[in-house]
Amino acid sequence: MPTISMFRGIKISINWNDHMPPHFHAKYGDEEVIVSIKDLEVLEGEMQNKQLKMVLGWAAFHQTELLENWELAVKKQDLFSIDPLR
């Protein structure tokens, strides 16, 4: 699963062989969430509140880029990196 961004110990990735709806994975230590790109809602998993707020804020700012990467993943094309949370 290609990593497209990393910040403050959080790893963001999109899987090439994943299912609908468009989503990304965010991992922090042993915790992982799957987040809908369009709705920015957690579909599955749990993460500490502070880190989850960072992930959702970052995703809101980069929603268009996340959707573009999802489309590339569906086509089995290389994904691009997205700027980390600053």
Side-chain angles (χ1 to χ4, degrees), residues 2-6 12-14 58 62 65-66 68-69 72 78-84 86:
T3 299
I4 57 173
S5 193
M6 289 185 72
I12 307 291
S13 56
I14 292 179
W58 172 87
H62 295 287
E65 294 162 286
L66 285 163
E68 289 171 4
N69 260 333
L72 290 172
D78 290 337
L79 308 185
F80 60 88
S81 295
I82 299 176
D83 288 338
R86 299 196 189 273

Side-chain angles (χ1 to χ4, degrees), residues 4-72:
I4 57 173
S5 193
M6 289 185 72
F7 53 89
R8 300 181 186 172
I10 300 167
K11 179 177 153 182
I12 307 291
S13 56
I14 292 179
N15 192 344
W16 278 312
N17 296 319
D18 234 332
H19 53 85
M20 294 298 277
H23 64 276
F24 65 91
H25 297 251
K27 185 167 179 143
Y28 178 74
D30 293 333
E31 302 172 327
E32 183 173 354
V33 290
I34 298 174
V35 178
S36 164
I37 296 172
K38 292 183 180 180
D39 300 329
L40 298 179
E41 293 180 359
V42 175
L43 300 173
E44 191 176 312
E46 294 183 1
M47 184 175 284
Q48 293 177 31
N49 195 41
K50 180 180 177 182
Q51 282 72 27
L52 182 58
K53 284 181 180 180
M54 283 191 272
V55 167
L56 295 177
W58 172 87
F61 190 72
H62 295 287
Q63 197 169 20
T64 300
E65 294 162 286
L66 285 163
L67 282 170
E68 289 171 4
N69 260 333
W70 177 266
E71 291 301 323
L72 290 172

